[in-house]
Amino acid sequence: MSRLGELEPVPRKSTVELVSDELRAAIMYGSLEPGDQLGEAELAARLGISRGPLREAMQRLVQEGLLVSEPHRGLFVITLDEGDVEDVYLARLAIERAAGKLIMERNRGEAVARLTDALEGLVEAARERDRDKMSDADQAFHEVLVSASGSQRLERMAHTLLVETRMCLNALQDTYPEPDDLVEEHRRIVDAIGDGEEERLLRLIEEHMTDSIQRLRKEAG
C-alpha cells in the first residue's frame, strides 16, 4: 500500500474505452443519427485505428443498447419512438428516486456541495440561453445526483439512459423548458436535499420526469 501523497502511475484508458467514448458521444450529440448504419472500414479510417478495437467498442455499445445488430445488414444506431422516450424517463425516475433515497441516508452535505457546483453550470448555460450548453449542464447535474448516491450500479445504468435522453432532446429541442424554469426545477431538488426533506425530494424528481414525458408527448403529437 502506498504512503499518503506518494505519486503513482495514472490509469490510462484503453483504446477500446476511448473508441467507445467517441462513438457514445457521436450518438449522444447526433453526429451519428438514429438509424445510421456504422460501417467498419469508414469508421476505422476516420478514427485512425484498426478494426479490432472498433469492433469491440461497437459491441460494448450493443450491450448498452445504443446500437442494434440486424442480421445480414450490420450495426445501426437505435431509433427511439414515443414509447421508447417514455420508457427512458420512467427508467430514469426509478434510478433517480433510488439515488435520492440513498443520498438522504448517507452524506447529504457532500451531495449538496457537488450538486450546487453542477447547478452553477446550469445557471451559466441558462444565462447564455444556449440550448446545447443547457442540455450538457442538465445532464451533468443528473449524473452528479446519481453519482452522489454512492452506488456504482445505479451510476452505470443512468449513464446509458442519459445518452438516450440527449438523443430525445436532439430530436425534440422545442420541448425544452424555459431557461429560468429549468434552473428553478433543479434548484428545488438541491434545496430539498439540503433541508433533509426526503418526501419532497422524491416528489420533485417524479414531477421533473413526468413533466418531461408530458412535454415530449405534446411535441410528438
Side-chain angles (χ1 to χ4, degrees), residues 133-167:
K133 287 184 180 179
M134 285 167 57
S135 294
D136 285 342
D138 187 353
Q139 178 165 325
F141 181 94
H142 288 276
E143 285 177 342
V144 171
L145 177 66
V146 178
S147 174
S149 73
S151 170
Q152 294 181 354
R153 288 169 179 80
L154 286 178
E155 198 170 356
R156 282 203 303 268
M157 289 187 288
H159 187 62
T160 297
L161 289 168
L162 286 167
V163 175
E164 291 180 314
T165 300
R166 187 59 184 265
M167 292 173 68

PDB file of all heavy atoms in Angstrom, residues 133-167:
ATOM      1  N   LYS A 133     -25.632  23.920 -24.440  1.00  0.00           N
ATOM      2  CA  LYS A 133     -24.954  24.021 -23.142  1.00  0.00           C
ATOM      3  C   LYS A 133     -25.913  23.688 -22.005  1.00  0.00           C
ATOM      4  O   LYS A 133     -25.522  23.075 -21.003  1.00  0.00           O
ATOM      5  CB  LYS A 133     -24.372  25.418 -22.957  1.00  0.00           C
ATOM      6  CG  LYS A 133     -23.148  25.704 -23.811  1.00  0.00           C
ATOM      7  CD  LYS A 133     -22.575  27.075 -23.500  1.00  0.00           C
ATOM      8  CE  LYS A 133     -21.345  27.358 -24.348  1.00  0.00           C
ATOM      9  NZ  LYS A 133     -20.796  28.708 -24.063  1.00  0.00           N
ATOM     10  N   MET A 134     -27.174  24.090 -22.153  1.00  0.00           N
ATOM     11  CA  MET A 134     -28.163  23.759 -21.124  1.00  0.00           C
ATOM     12  C   MET A 134     -28.361  22.245 -21.042  1.00  0.00           C
ATOM     13  O   MET A 134     -28.453  21.682 -19.942  1.00  0.00           O
ATOM     14  CB  MET A 134     -29.493  24.455 -21.429  1.00  0.00           C
ATOM     15  CG  MET A 134     -29.486  25.947 -21.120  1.00  0.00           C
ATOM     16  SD  MET A 134     -30.923  26.815 -21.826  1.00  0.00           S
ATOM     17  CE  MET A 134     -32.279  25.914 -21.078  1.00  0.00           C
ATOM     18  N   SER A 135     -28.422  21.590 -22.188  1.00  0.00           N
ATOM     19  CA  SER A 135     -28.583  20.132 -22.198  1.00  0.00           C
ATOM     20  C   SER A 135     -27.391  19.456 -21.534  1.00  0.00           C
ATOM     21  O   SER A 135     -27.548  18.512 -20.751  1.00  0.00           O
ATOM     22  CB  SER A 135     -28.729  19.622 -23.641  1.00  0.00           C
ATOM     23  OG  SER A 135     -29.921  20.090 -24.228  1.00  0.00           O
ATOM     24  N   ASP A 136     -26.177  19.955 -21.846  1.00  0.00           N
ATOM     25  CA  ASP A 136     -24.975  19.387 -21.232  1.00  0.00           C
ATOM     26  C   ASP A 136     -24.996  19.577 -19.716  1.00  0.00           C
ATOM     27  O   ASP A 136     -24.685  18.659 -18.947  1.00  0.00           O
ATOM     28  CB  ASP A 136     -23.716  20.057 -21.798  1.00  0.00           C
ATOM     29  CG  ASP A 136     -23.381  19.580 -23.201  1.00  0.00           C
ATOM     30  OD1 ASP A 136     -23.890  18.516 -23.610  1.00  0.00           O
ATOM     31  OD2 ASP A 136     -22.613  20.272 -23.893  1.00  0.00           O
ATOM     32  N   ALA A 137     -25.349  20.799 -19.277  1.00  0.00           N
ATOM     33  CA  ALA A 137     -25.360  21.107 -17.848  1.00  0.00           C
ATOM     34  C   ALA A 137     -26.466  20.334 -17.122  1.00  0.00           C
ATOM     35  O   ALA A 137     -26.284  19.893 -15.975  1.00  0.00           O
ATOM     36  CB  ALA A 137     -25.542  22.607 -17.630  1.00  0.00           C
ATOM     37  N   ASP A 138     -27.601  20.183 -17.778  1.00  0.00           N
ATOM     38  CA  ASP A 138     -28.716  19.406 -17.224  1.00  0.00           C
ATOM     39  C   ASP A 138     -28.262  17.960 -17.019  1.00  0.00           C
ATOM     40  O   ASP A 138     -28.450  17.370 -15.945  1.00  0.00           O
ATOM     41  CB  ASP A 138     -29.892  19.479 -18.207  1.00  0.00           C
ATOM     42  CG  ASP A 138     -31.165  18.842 -17.657  1.00  0.00           C
ATOM     43  OD1 ASP A 138     -31.126  18.230 -16.576  1.00  0.00           O
ATOM     44  OD2 ASP A 138     -32.207  18.970 -18.332  1.00  0.00           O
ATOM     45  N   GLN A 139     -27.636  17.398 -18.045  1.00  0.00           N
ATOM     46  CA  GLN A 139     -27.160  16.023 -17.951  1.00  0.00           C
ATOM     47  C   GLN A 139     -26.114  15.888 -16.843  1.00  0.00           C
ATOM     48  O   GLN A 139     -26.134  14.921 -16.071  1.00  0.00           O
ATOM     49  CB  GLN A 139     -26.560  15.578 -19.282  1.00  0.00           C
ATOM     50  CG  GLN A 139     -25.991  14.167 -19.245  1.00  0.00           C
ATOM     51  CD  GLN A 139     -25.728  13.610 -20.615  1.00  0.00           C
ATOM     52  OE1 GLN A 139     -26.453  13.877 -21.563  1.00  0.00           O
ATOM     53  NE2 GLN A 139     -24.673  12.836 -20.753  1.00  0.00           N
ATOM     54  N   ALA A 140     -25.198  16.852 -16.773  1.00  0.00           N
ATOM     55  CA  ALA A 140     -24.149  16.801 -15.742  1.00  0.00           C
ATOM     56  C   ALA A 140     -24.757  16.815 -14.343  1.00  0.00           C
ATOM     57  O   ALA A 140     -24.289  16.102 -13.440  1.00  0.00           O
ATOM     58  CB  ALA A 140     -23.189  17.976 -15.921  1.00  0.00           C
ATOM     59  N   PHE A 141     -25.801  17.616 -14.151  1.00  0.00           N
ATOM     60  CA  PHE A 141     -26.472  17.687 -12.845  1.00  0.00           C
ATOM     61  C   PHE A 141     -27.013  16.321 -12.446  1.00  0.00           C
ATOM     62  O   PHE A 141     -26.828  15.861 -11.310  1.00  0.00           O
ATOM     63  CB  PHE A 141     -27.608  18.707 -12.901  1.00  0.00           C
ATOM     64  CG  PHE A 141     -28.361  18.874 -11.604  1.00  0.00           C
ATOM     65  CD1 PHE A 141     -28.017  19.868 -10.701  1.00  0.00           C
ATOM     66  CD2 PHE A 141     -29.425  18.027 -11.286  1.00  0.00           C
ATOM     67  CE1 PHE A 141     -28.707  20.016  -9.496  1.00  0.00           C
ATOM     68  CE2 PHE A 141     -30.118  18.167 -10.100  1.00  0.00           C
ATOM     69  CZ  PHE A 141     -29.757  19.167  -9.195  1.00  0.00           C
ATOM     70  N   HIS A 142     -27.697  15.654 -13.389  1.00  0.00           N
ATOM     71  CA  HIS A 142     -28.303  14.367 -13.065  1.00  0.00           C
ATOM     72  C   HIS A 142     -27.256  13.269 -12.908  1.00  0.00           C
ATOM     73  O   HIS A 142     -27.459  12.329 -12.129  1.00  0.00           O
ATOM     74  CB  HIS A 142     -29.355  14.012 -14.120  1.00  0.00           C
ATOM     75  CG  HIS A 142     -30.583  14.855 -14.000  1.00  0.00           C
ATOM     76  ND1 HIS A 142     -31.606  14.556 -13.132  1.00  0.00           N
ATOM     77  CD2 HIS A 142     -30.927  16.025 -14.603  1.00  0.00           C
ATOM     78  CE1 HIS A 142     -32.545  15.491 -13.217  1.00  0.00           C
ATOM     79  NE2 HIS A 142     -32.143  16.392 -14.104  1.00  0.00           N
ATOM     80  N   GLU A 143     -26.137  13.387 -13.626  1.00  0.00           N
ATOM     81  CA  GLU A 143     -25.036  12.452 -13.417  1.00  0.00           C
ATOM     82  C   GLU A 143     -24.501  12.582 -11.991  1.00  0.00           C
ATOM     83  O   GLU A 143     -24.229  11.580 -11.321  1.00  0.00           O
ATOM     84  CB  GLU A 143     -23.912  12.718 -14.421  1.00  0.00           C
ATOM     85  CG  GLU A 143     -24.227  12.238 -15.832  1.00  0.00           C
ATOM     86  CD  GLU A 143     -23.132  12.586 -16.821  1.00  0.00           C
ATOM     87  OE1 GLU A 143     -22.296  13.470 -16.517  1.00  0.00           O
ATOM     88  OE2 GLU A 143     -23.104  11.971 -17.901  1.00  0.00           O
ATOM     89  N   VAL A 144     -24.356  13.818 -11.512  1.00  0.00           N
ATOM     90  CA  VAL A 144     -23.877  14.058 -10.151  1.00  0.00           C
ATOM     91  C   VAL A 144     -24.892  13.542  -9.136  1.00  0.00           C
ATOM     92  O   VAL A 144     -24.522  12.946  -8.117  1.00  0.00           O
ATOM     93  CB  VAL A 144     -23.596  15.556  -9.922  1.00  0.00           C
ATOM     94  CG1 VAL A 144     -23.321  15.835  -8.443  1.00  0.00           C
ATOM     95  CG2 VAL A 144     -22.416  16.016 -10.760  1.00  0.00           C
ATOM     96  N   LEU A 145     -26.178  13.761  -9.409  1.00  0.00           N
ATOM     97  CA  LEU A 145     -27.223  13.301  -8.491  1.00  0.00           C
ATOM     98  C   LEU A 145     -27.118  11.804  -8.258  1.00  0.00           C
ATOM     99  O   LEU A 145     -27.173  11.334  -7.113  1.00  0.00           O
ATOM    100  CB  LEU A 145     -28.605  13.651  -9.049  1.00  0.00           C
ATOM    101  CG  LEU A 145     -29.814  13.167  -8.232  1.00  0.00           C
ATOM    102  CD1 LEU A 145     -29.869  13.861  -6.879  1.00  0.00           C
ATOM    103  CD2 LEU A 145     -31.118  13.393  -9.003  1.00  0.00           C
ATOM    104  N   VAL A 146     -26.955  11.040  -9.343  1.00  0.00           N
ATOM    105  CA  VAL A 146     -26.862   9.587  -9.201  1.00  0.00           C
ATOM    106  C   VAL A 146     -25.512   9.198  -8.604  1.00  0.00           C
ATOM    107  O   VAL A 146     -25.433   8.325  -7.735  1.00  0.00           O
ATOM    108  CB  VAL A 146     -27.085   8.890 -10.557  1.00  0.00           C
ATOM    109  CG1 VAL A 146     -26.948   7.370 -10.404  1.00  0.00           C
ATOM    110  CG2 VAL A 146     -28.471   9.222 -11.103  1.00  0.00           C
ATOM    111  N   SER A 147     -24.441   9.851  -9.035  1.00  0.00           N
ATOM    112  CA  SER A 147     -23.108   9.553  -8.510  1.00  0.00           C
ATOM    113  C   SER A 147     -23.028   9.789  -7.003  1.00  0.00           C
ATOM    114  O   SER A 147     -22.383   9.034  -6.269  1.00  0.00           O
ATOM    115  CB  SER A 147     -22.065  10.415  -9.222  1.00  0.00           C
ATOM    116  OG  SER A 147     -20.795  10.262  -8.651  1.00  0.00           O
ATOM    117  N   ALA A 148     -23.705  10.836  -6.525  1.00  0.00           N
ATOM    118  CA  ALA A 148     -23.671  11.182  -5.102  1.00  0.00           C
ATOM    119  C   ALA A 148     -24.335  10.120  -4.227  1.00  0.00           C
ATOM    120  O   ALA A 148     -24.162  10.115  -3.005  1.00  0.00           O
ATOM    121  CB  ALA A 148     -24.339  12.537  -4.869  1.00  0.00           C
ATOM    122  N   SER A 149     -25.082   9.211  -4.842  1.00  0.00           N
ATOM    123  CA  SER A 149     -25.714   8.132  -4.083  1.00  0.00           C
ATOM    124  C   SER A 149     -24.687   7.122  -3.591  1.00  0.00           C
ATOM    125  O   SER A 149     -24.936   6.370  -2.644  1.00  0.00           O
ATOM    126  CB  SER A 149     -26.755   7.405  -4.942  1.00  0.00           C
ATOM    127  OG  SER A 149     -26.117   6.597  -5.929  1.00  0.00           O
ATOM    128  N   GLY A 150     -23.529   7.086  -4.274  1.00  0.00           N
ATOM    129  CA  GLY A 150     -22.500   6.123  -3.905  1.00  0.00           C
ATOM    130  C   GLY A 150     -22.704   4.749  -4.503  1.00  0.00           C
ATOM    131  O   GLY A 150     -21.924   3.824  -4.231  1.00  0.00           O
ATOM    132  N   SER A 151     -23.721   4.583  -5.353  1.00  0.00           N
ATOM    133  CA  SER A 151     -23.994   3.284  -5.970  1.00  0.00           C
ATOM    134  C   SER A 151     -23.430   3.251  -7.387  1.00  0.00           C
ATOM    135  O   SER A 151     -23.930   3.946  -8.275  1.00  0.00           O
ATOM    136  CB  SER A 151     -25.500   3.010  -6.014  1.00  0.00           C
ATOM    137  OG  SER A 151     -25.776   1.871  -6.811  1.00  0.00           O
ATOM    138  N   GLN A 152     -22.407   2.441  -7.601  1.00  0.00           N
ATOM    139  CA  GLN A 152     -21.806   2.339  -8.925  1.00  0.00           C
ATOM    140  C   GLN A 152     -22.766   1.717  -9.937  1.00  0.00           C
ATOM    141  O   GLN A 152     -22.741   2.063 -11.117  1.00  0.00           O
ATOM    142  CB  GLN A 152     -20.519   1.529  -8.852  1.00  0.00           C
ATOM    143  CG  GLN A 152     -19.411   2.206  -8.053  1.00  0.00           C
ATOM    144  CD  GLN A 152     -18.130   1.398  -8.018  1.00  0.00           C
ATOM    145  OE1 GLN A 152     -18.067   0.263  -8.498  1.00  0.00           O
ATOM    146  NE2 GLN A 152     -17.089   1.982  -7.446  1.00  0.00           N
ATOM    147  N   ARG A 153     -23.605   0.826  -9.471  1.00  0.00           N
ATOM    148  CA  ARG A 153     -24.535   0.161 -10.394  1.00  0.00           C
ATOM    149  C   ARG A 153     -25.612   1.131 -10.878  1.00  0.00           C
ATOM    150  O   ARG A 153     -25.969   1.144 -12.057  1.00  0.00           O
ATOM    151  CB  ARG A 153     -25.142  -1.074  -9.729  1.00  0.00           C
ATOM    152  CG  ARG A 153     -24.148  -2.215  -9.592  1.00  0.00           C
ATOM    153  CD  ARG A 153     -24.649  -3.349  -8.712  1.00  0.00           C
ATOM    154  NE  ARG A 153     -23.669  -4.424  -8.645  1.00  0.00           N
ATOM    155  CZ  ARG A 153     -22.584  -4.407  -7.867  1.00  0.00           C
ATOM    156  NH1 ARG A 153     -22.359  -3.353  -7.077  1.00  0.00           N
ATOM    157  NH2 ARG A 153     -21.744  -5.415  -7.869  1.00  0.00           N
ATOM    158  N   LEU A 154     -26.134   1.940  -9.962  1.00  0.00           N
ATOM    159  CA  LEU A 154     -27.092   2.961 -10.389  1.00  0.00           C
ATOM    160  C   LEU A 154     -26.426   3.921 -11.369  1.00  0.00           C
ATOM    161  O   LEU A 154     -27.034   4.336 -12.358  1.00  0.00           O
ATOM    162  CB  LEU A 154     -27.616   3.740  -9.181  1.00  0.00           C
ATOM    163  CG  LEU A 154     -28.619   3.036  -8.267  1.00  0.00           C
ATOM    164  CD1 LEU A 154     -28.992   3.954  -7.104  1.00  0.00           C
ATOM    165  CD2 LEU A 154     -29.870   2.601  -9.018  1.00  0.00           C
ATOM    166  N   GLU A 155     -25.174   4.255 -11.100  1.00  0.00           N
ATOM    167  CA  GLU A 155     -24.443   5.178 -11.953  1.00  0.00           C
ATOM    168  C   GLU A 155     -24.261   4.597 -13.354  1.00  0.00           C
ATOM    169  O   GLU A 155     -24.434   5.304 -14.350  1.00  0.00           O
ATOM    170  CB  GLU A 155     -23.078   5.493 -11.322  1.00  0.00           C
ATOM    171  CG  GLU A 155     -22.422   6.738 -11.881  1.00  0.00           C
ATOM    172  CD  GLU A 155     -21.205   7.150 -11.070  1.00  0.00           C
ATOM    173  OE1 GLU A 155     -20.910   6.523 -10.034  1.00  0.00           O
ATOM    174  OE2 GLU A 155     -20.536   8.110 -11.494  1.00  0.00           O
ATOM    175  N   ARG A 156     -23.925   3.310 -13.442  1.00  0.00           N
ATOM    176  CA  ARG A 156     -23.749   2.673 -14.755  1.00  0.00           C
ATOM    177  C   ARG A 156     -25.058   2.669 -15.532  1.00  0.00           C
ATOM    178  O   ARG A 156     -25.086   2.944 -16.727  1.00  0.00           O
ATOM    179  CB  ARG A 156     -23.240   1.233 -14.581  1.00  0.00           C
ATOM    180  CG  ARG A 156     -21.754   1.123 -14.274  1.00  0.00           C
ATOM    181  CD  ARG A 156     -21.230  -0.245 -14.661  1.00  0.00           C
ATOM    182  NE  ARG A 156     -21.942  -1.328 -13.998  1.00  0.00           N
ATOM    183  CZ  ARG A 156     -21.573  -1.881 -12.844  1.00  0.00           C
ATOM    184  NH1 ARG A 156     -20.525  -1.418 -12.200  1.00  0.00           N
ATOM    185  NH2 ARG A 156     -22.257  -2.872 -12.331  1.00  0.00           N
ATOM    186  N   MET A 157     -26.142   2.327 -14.855  1.00  0.00           N
ATOM    187  CA  MET A 157     -27.442   2.285 -15.534  1.00  0.00           C
ATOM    188  C   MET A 157     -27.863   3.672 -16.007  1.00  0.00           C
ATOM    189  O   MET A 157     -28.404   3.836 -17.101  1.00  0.00           O
ATOM    190  CB  MET A 157     -28.504   1.686 -14.612  1.00  0.00           C
ATOM    191  CG  MET A 157     -28.337   0.204 -14.369  1.00  0.00           C
ATOM    192  SD  MET A 157     -29.728  -0.526 -13.440  1.00  0.00           S
ATOM    193  CE  MET A 157     -29.432   0.138 -11.805  1.00  0.00           C
ATOM    194  N   ALA A 158     -27.608   4.671 -15.178  1.00  0.00           N
ATOM    195  CA  ALA A 158     -28.017   6.034 -15.516  1.00  0.00           C
ATOM    196  C   ALA A 158     -27.248   6.564 -16.712  1.00  0.00           C
ATOM    197  O   ALA A 158     -27.778   7.351 -17.502  1.00  0.00           O
ATOM    198  CB  ALA A 158     -27.809   6.956 -14.320  1.00  0.00           C
ATOM    199  N   HIS A 159     -25.998   6.127 -16.880  1.00  0.00           N
ATOM    200  CA  HIS A 159     -25.151   6.684 -17.939  1.00  0.00           C
ATOM    201  C   HIS A 159     -25.769   6.464 -19.314  1.00  0.00           C
ATOM    202  O   HIS A 159     -25.881   7.409 -20.111  1.00  0.00           O
ATOM    203  CB  HIS A 159     -23.754   6.055 -17.871  1.00  0.00           C
ATOM    204  CG  HIS A 159     -22.778   6.680 -18.805  1.00  0.00           C
ATOM    205  ND1 HIS A 159     -22.410   8.011 -18.716  1.00  0.00           N
ATOM    206  CD2 HIS A 159     -22.103   6.172 -19.866  1.00  0.00           C
ATOM    207  CE1 HIS A 159     -21.540   8.286 -19.675  1.00  0.00           C
ATOM    208  NE2 HIS A 159     -21.335   7.188 -20.386  1.00  0.00           N
ATOM    209  N   THR A 160     -26.167   5.234 -19.609  1.00  0.00           N
ATOM    210  CA  THR A 160     -26.774   4.944 -20.909  1.00  0.00           C
ATOM    211  C   THR A 160     -28.101   5.676 -21.067  1.00  0.00           C
ATOM    212  O   THR A 160     -28.407   6.206 -22.144  1.00  0.00           O
ATOM    213  CB  THR A 160     -26.995   3.425 -21.073  1.00  0.00           C
ATOM    214  OG1 THR A 160     -25.729   2.775 -21.045  1.00  0.00           O
ATOM    215  CG2 THR A 160     -27.690   3.120 -22.401  1.00  0.00           C
ATOM    216  N   LEU A 161     -28.900   5.734 -20.003  1.00  0.00           N
ATOM    217  CA  LEU A 161     -30.188   6.421 -20.080  1.00  0.00           C
ATOM    218  C   LEU A 161     -30.015   7.907 -20.371  1.00  0.00           C
ATOM    219  O   LEU A 161     -30.821   8.506 -21.090  1.00  0.00           O
ATOM    220  CB  LEU A 161     -30.967   6.226 -18.781  1.00  0.00           C
ATOM    221  CG  LEU A 161     -31.506   4.813 -18.542  1.00  0.00           C
ATOM    222  CD1 LEU A 161     -31.999   4.674 -17.113  1.00  0.00           C
ATOM    223  CD2 LEU A 161     -32.626   4.500 -19.530  1.00  0.00           C
ATOM    224  N   LEU A 162     -28.959   8.510 -19.842  1.00  0.00           N
ATOM    225  CA  LEU A 162     -28.727   9.928 -20.096  1.00  0.00           C
ATOM    226  C   LEU A 162     -28.295  10.173 -21.539  1.00  0.00           C
ATOM    227  O   LEU A 162     -28.613  11.211 -22.115  1.00  0.00           O
ATOM    228  CB  LEU A 162     -27.687  10.474 -19.111  1.00  0.00           C
ATOM    229  CG  LEU A 162     -28.218  10.650 -17.680  1.00  0.00           C
ATOM    230  CD1 LEU A 162     -27.076  10.883 -16.704  1.00  0.00           C
ATOM    231  CD2 LEU A 162     -29.210  11.805 -17.611  1.00  0.00           C
ATOM    232  N   VAL A 163     -27.580   9.220 -22.134  1.00  0.00           N
ATOM    233  CA  VAL A 163     -27.255   9.335 -23.562  1.00  0.00           C
ATOM    234  C   VAL A 163     -28.547   9.271 -24.374  1.00  0.00           C
ATOM    235  O   VAL A 163     -28.762  10.062 -25.301  1.00  0.00           O
ATOM    236  CB  VAL A 163     -26.290   8.212 -24.003  1.00  0.00           C
ATOM    237  CG1 VAL A 163     -26.072   8.268 -25.522  1.00  0.00           C
ATOM    238  CG2 VAL A 163     -24.951   8.331 -23.288  1.00  0.00           C
ATOM    239  N   GLU A 164     -29.429   8.340 -24.014  1.00  0.00           N
ATOM    240  CA  GLU A 164     -30.704   8.218 -24.726  1.00  0.00           C
ATOM    241  C   GLU A 164     -31.566   9.462 -24.514  1.00  0.00           C
ATOM    242  O   GLU A 164     -32.278   9.894 -25.431  1.00  0.00           O
ATOM    243  CB  GLU A 164     -31.446   6.966 -24.253  1.00  0.00           C
ATOM    244  CG  GLU A 164     -30.776   5.678 -24.672  1.00  0.00           C
ATOM    245  CD  GLU A 164     -31.530   4.450 -24.197  1.00  0.00           C
ATOM    246  OE1 GLU A 164     -31.926   4.399 -23.024  1.00  0.00           O
ATOM    247  OE2 GLU A 164     -31.717   3.535 -25.022  1.00  0.00           O
ATOM    248  N   THR A 165     -31.491  10.055 -23.315  1.00  0.00           N
ATOM    249  CA  THR A 165     -32.230  11.291 -23.060  1.00  0.00           C
ATOM    250  C   THR A 165     -31.766  12.388 -24.002  1.00  0.00           C
ATOM    251  O   THR A 165     -32.576  13.127 -24.569  1.00  0.00           O
ATOM    252  CB  THR A 165     -32.022  11.755 -21.594  1.00  0.00           C
ATOM    253  OG1 THR A 165     -32.499  10.745 -20.710  1.00  0.00           O
ATOM    254  CG2 THR A 165     -32.772  13.052 -21.332  1.00  0.00           C
ATOM    255  N   ARG A 166     -30.454  12.493 -24.167  1.00  0.00           N
ATOM    256  CA  ARG A 166     -29.913  13.528 -25.058  1.00  0.00           C
ATOM    257  C   ARG A 166     -30.357  13.293 -26.492  1.00  0.00           C
ATOM    258  O   ARG A 166     -30.634  14.234 -27.233  1.00  0.00           O
ATOM    259  CB  ARG A 166     -28.388  13.554 -24.949  1.00  0.00           C
ATOM    260  CG  ARG A 166     -27.743  14.719 -25.704  1.00  0.00           C
ATOM    261  CD  ARG A 166     -28.274  16.063 -25.175  1.00  0.00           C
ATOM    262  NE  ARG A 166     -27.741  17.162 -25.948  1.00  0.00           N
ATOM    263  CZ  ARG A 166     -26.668  17.859 -25.612  1.00  0.00           C
ATOM    264  NH1 ARG A 166     -26.019  17.569 -24.496  1.00  0.00           N
ATOM    265  NH2 ARG A 166     -26.259  18.847 -26.363  1.00  0.00           N
ATOM    266  N   MET A 167     -30.458  12.030 -26.891  1.00  0.00           N
ATOM    267  CA  MET A 167     -30.965  11.712 -28.229  1.00  0.00           C
ATOM    268  C   MET A 167     -32.398  12.205 -28.381  1.00  0.00           C
ATOM    269  O   MET A 167     -32.777  12.749 -29.418  1.00  0.00           O
ATOM    270  CB  MET A 167     -30.904  10.202 -28.481  1.00  0.00           C
ATOM    271  CG  MET A 167     -29.500   9.638 -28.584  1.00  0.00           C
ATOM    272  SD  MET A 167     -29.508   7.824 -28.664  1.00  0.00           S
ATOM    273  CE  MET A 167     -30.270   7.565 -30.285  1.00  0.00           C
TER     274      MET A 167
END
